[in-house]
Amino acid sequence: MSALTKAFYFQEGARRTGIWSKSEPAITGTGNLAGFYYIDIPTDQDVEVESSFLSAFLPFYVGGFYGNNPDGSQWIVIALVGPFHQDYDFVFGESSLDTLLNSLDRALSFNSEAEARADQIYKHEDLIGIYTEQGIDGAALDWPTSDLAFGLLAETCGVPLEQIVSGYKGKCAYPDTEHICESSVFLDVFATWQRKNTPSWG
Amino acid sequence: MRIYTPLHGVKRTVFRLPGFGGAALFLLPIAAPGSPDTEEILVGNYDIGLLSPDRKVDYLARTASPTFISDLAEYLWAAGSEIHPEKNVPDFQDTELGLGIGVVSSTDFVLELQITVVKDLGEIPLEFDLLNFETSRVAVLAMSRSLRVFDGDYSDDFDDEEFPE
């Protein structure tokens, strides 16, 4: 089970139906703050449209995934990566966490029926900790915070973090398998999952 | 004297047709007194909202034609379920409200809509505010369904013969 799947206590039988990501995160570098937010989406909304709609209003978003529960309720998990500063007077007197939360609140104000239910907030070193818990050498993880967050999203596609880390430098998740390579270990995982799980038409 | 107390917890009905990439059409119904010239005590007014990632515009308190809700529900149902709505479904127009909707193009799953709002109903020649966006057929049909329910129509959308019990 992936770290995010564990963290959010998904309902038994919950099914993911899509994943999406931004090709270039707005915030690069290390030492940033990553927030993963679980958002309830009403049953009569199209969760694929809503994930695209929501992320258009989130300047710090890097990606996310969405799906449904056996009772028909739907959800989105969205990842935001913003700058982390100890100084509370960084911008508009907001803390780093408020910066992420306020952007989410604003985005959700355009869909009053969607509701943020849970969050998981990680500093850069917390994310490194998730990787090292799985036996990965933390010294090898000189990645930007956004890539560490991408790695957790990729892990939810059923690919172990170890495989993601080993494919990072070579920009390929499946070096021993014939596949359409996306030239990024994360995009490779996302695209392969999407191809396997989306019915092909025409 | 009665002190006004807000109705906490009561959600206002807002019709929202969202699109990919952060676009949406909002319709907020508000009852308003009818004109003294007519027998209508109340009329249906609407706030029309257009949203995109860099713009939010509201046109407030516009009166719609009496059949606006059912006409729009019917149009959206046809647009969402017709194979080639851009060819076979005539554009929607409510001239009293100053709102138009057309399908520009379609695929099996996605429709590109063009929303047209008359900027000032009292001005000649008319000027239009346009918003084009892509959305899913599911979202269009869901909006149709919620309009029908608002209009008091809870009937089944599907042909019983097509889905025998």
Side-chain angles (χ1 to χ4, degrees):
Chain A
M1 191 185 281
S2 73
L4 289 178
T5 315
K6 264 188 259 176
F8 283 117
Y9 300 102
F10 286 94
Q11 275 186 29
E12 198 177 329
R15 174 177 295 182
R16 187 179 44 189
T17 55
I19 188 161
W20 84 107
S21 68
K22 202 173 188 176
S23 52
E24 293 292 332
I27 301 288
T28 55
T30 60
N32 296 311
L33 190 69
F36 294 85
Y37 298 88
Y38 180 102
I39 297 157
D40 274 338
I41 300 293
T43 51
D44 62 348
Q45 294 188 358
D46 183 343
V47 71
E48 185 181 358
V49 172
E50 298 303 339
S51 59
S52 167
F53 178 88
L54 192 66
S55 50
F57 297 102
L58 290 168
F60 298 106
Y61 105 89
V62 295
F65 55 96
Y66 51 85
N68 51 46
N69 295 318
D71 64 2
S73 55
Q74 306 180 97
W75 45 265
I76 293 173
V77 172
I78 194 158
L80 311 181
V81 174
F84 178 66
H85 278 248
Q86 300 284 0
D87 180 1
Y88 265 55
D89 227 4
F90 180 45
V91 177
F92 307 134
E94 296 176 341
S95 71
S96 306
L97 188 57
D98 286 345
T99 300
L100 298 186
L101 270 178
N102 289 341
S103 73
L104 185 65
D105 269 359
R106 171 178 170 268
L108 289 174
S109 73
F110 299 125
N111 181 1
S112 59
E113 291 181 275
E115 201 172 340
R117 285 273 184 210
D119 62 17
Q120 289 290 329
I121 309 296
Y122 302 107
K123 287 189 278 186
H124 186 88
E125 53 271 28
D126 299 332
L127 290 171
I128 298 267
I130 294 174
Y131 285 72
T132 53
E133 272 173 25
Q134 299 208 15
I136 294 160
D137 179 11
L141 290 170
D142 54 346
W143 299 5
T145 312
S146 52
D147 280 358
L148 292 170
F150 272 135
L152 294 194
L153 291 176
E155 191 197 17
T156 66
C157 295
V159 179
L161 283 179
E162 196 180 358
Q163 184 178 340
I164 294 161
V165 172
S166 73
Y168 184 77
K169 289 228 161 87
K171 299 183 176 181
C172 176
Y174 313 100
D176 302 326
T177 314
E178 195 173 324
H179 67 289
I180 304 166
C181 192
E182 302 287 331
S183 299
S184 149
V185 68
F186 311 117
L187 297 183
D188 226 7
V189 173
F190 299 154
T192 302
W193 184 90
Q194 203 75 30
R195 274 193 292 273
K196 273 187 194 160
N197 292 278
T198 310
S200 81
W201 298 88
Chain B
M1 187 175 73
R2 188 171 170 199
I3 307 288
Y4 169 73
T5 314
L7 296 169
H8 290 298
V10 176
K11 280 199 172 178
R12 292 281 295 111
T13 298
V14 182
F15 298 109
R16 172 176 165 274
L17 181 55
F20 293 105
L25 164 69
F26 293 93
L27 291 169
L28 173 68
I30 331 137
S35 159
D37 305 336
T38 67
E39 290 182 4
E40 300 286 343
I41 299 168
L42 288 173
V43 292
N45 276 8
Y46 295 86
D47 291 348
I48 306 171
L50 299 179
L51 176 72
S52 65
D54 58 359
R55 190 170 73 110
K56 183 172 184 291
V57 184
D58 287 317
Y59 297 92
L60 304 181
R62 291 194 172 184
T63 305
S65 61
T67 57
F68 167 65
I69 289 283
S70 58
D71 291 348
L72 182 57
E74 196 176 325
Y75 167 77
L76 291 174
W77 191 263
S81 46
E82 170 67 37
I83 295 175
H84 297 293
E86 67 277 20
K87 288 181 191 163
N88 302 331
V89 179
D91 290 353
F92 172 82
Q93 267 199 334
D94 189 302
T95 49
E96 282 188 52
L97 192 64
L99 175 69
I101 305 177
V103 179
V104 179
S105 62
S106 67
T107 68
D108 287 353
F109 302 104
V110 174
L111 301 182
E112 183 190 350
L113 301 179
Q114 182 168 71
I115 313 292
T116 312
V117 180
V118 176
K119 284 185 177 174
D120 183 344
L121 289 165
E123 197 171 89
I124 302 289
L126 296 175
E127 284 187 27
F128 300 98
D129 200 342
L130 299 179
L131 178 68
N132 275 48
F133 62 87
E134 287 190 345
T135 186
S136 69
R137 286 178 182 264
V138 174
V140 170
L141 295 174
M143 168 99 162
S144 168
R145 187 71 187 139
S146 59
L147 287 163
R148 286 179 59 180
V149 169
F150 183 68
D151 206 29
D153 178 2
Y154 295 89
S155 63
D156 197 347
D157 292 317
F158 301 106
D159 184 351
D160 287 337
E161 286 178 13
E162 201 178 333
F163 300 97
E165 289 184 8

